[in-house]
Amino acid sequence: GSKDGSIQEVNVSPCPTQPCLLHKGTSYSINVTFASKIESQGSKAKVYGEMLHVDIPFPIPEPDGCKSGIQCPIQKGHSYSYLNKLPVKSEYPSIKLIVKWELVDDQDQMLFCWKIPVQITS
């Protein structure tokens, strides 16, 4: 689904094996290196937990990509490192699901989209 960019690398840490074991009350580091195919003034992250083919929005502390390692405005042909945190709240249920992470440009088009299987645990 990465229409306006191409992903070079996705790094979730700590996550030595998949599915990622996400411990409640812990924050995980997200690092995505991508190249932009477009110009954009800004970018915004949208994160979902995918369960039974339903996307449930996952709140993240900082949805603004320009405050997450990306130097804005985004320029065509440049590579960027997007850095963020995925906080796993203690009230989340202990379940297996897919985390879907999107970054959209100022036209609401996908700069990148990736999914990772996770297991939320105590």
Side-chain angles (χ1 to χ4, degrees):
S2 307
K3 183 175 178 283
D4 286 350
S6 56
I7 293 176
Q8 290 152 333
E9 188 183 0
V10 174
N11 196 333
V12 178
S13 70
C15 169
T17 56
Q18 287 189 13
C20 289
L21 276 180
L22 301 183
H23 294 275
K24 295 178 189 183
T26 309
S27 239
Y28 292 80
S29 296
I30 309 295
N31 184 350
V32 184
T33 307
F34 72 100
S36 179
K37 298 177 185 170
I38 53 99
E39 317 255 319
S40 179
Q41 290 305 308
S43 60
K44 187 176 175 204
K46 298 177 182 181
V47 183
Y48 303 92
E50 211 174 78
M51 281 178 289
L52 308 168
H53 308 291
V54 178
D55 287 348
I56 294 146
F58 225 70
I60 54 168
E62 184 50 81
D64 187 346
C66 302
K67 293 179 182 164
S68 309
I70 297 173
Q71 195 175 349
C72 293
I74 293 169
Q75 296 177 9
K76 186 177 175 177
H78 284 234
S79 278
Y80 296 93
S81 263
Y82 169 81
L83 306 163
N84 214 322
K85 294 262 185 235
L86 178 64
V88 182
K89 296 184 177 168
S90 38
E91 60 266 27
Y92 287 168
S94 297
I95 47 168
K96 269 190 170 164
L97 73 158
I98 305 278
V99 170
K100 180 166 83 171
W101 201 295
E102 302 174 349
L103 189 73
V104 295
D105 59 27
D106 51 18
Q107 302 298 310
D108 224 29
Q109 297 290 323
M110 277 305 167
L111 280 161
F112 66 66
C113 176
W114 52 273
K115 295 181 181 185
I116 193 164
V118 301
Q119 164 88 55
I120 297 178
T121 185
S122 301

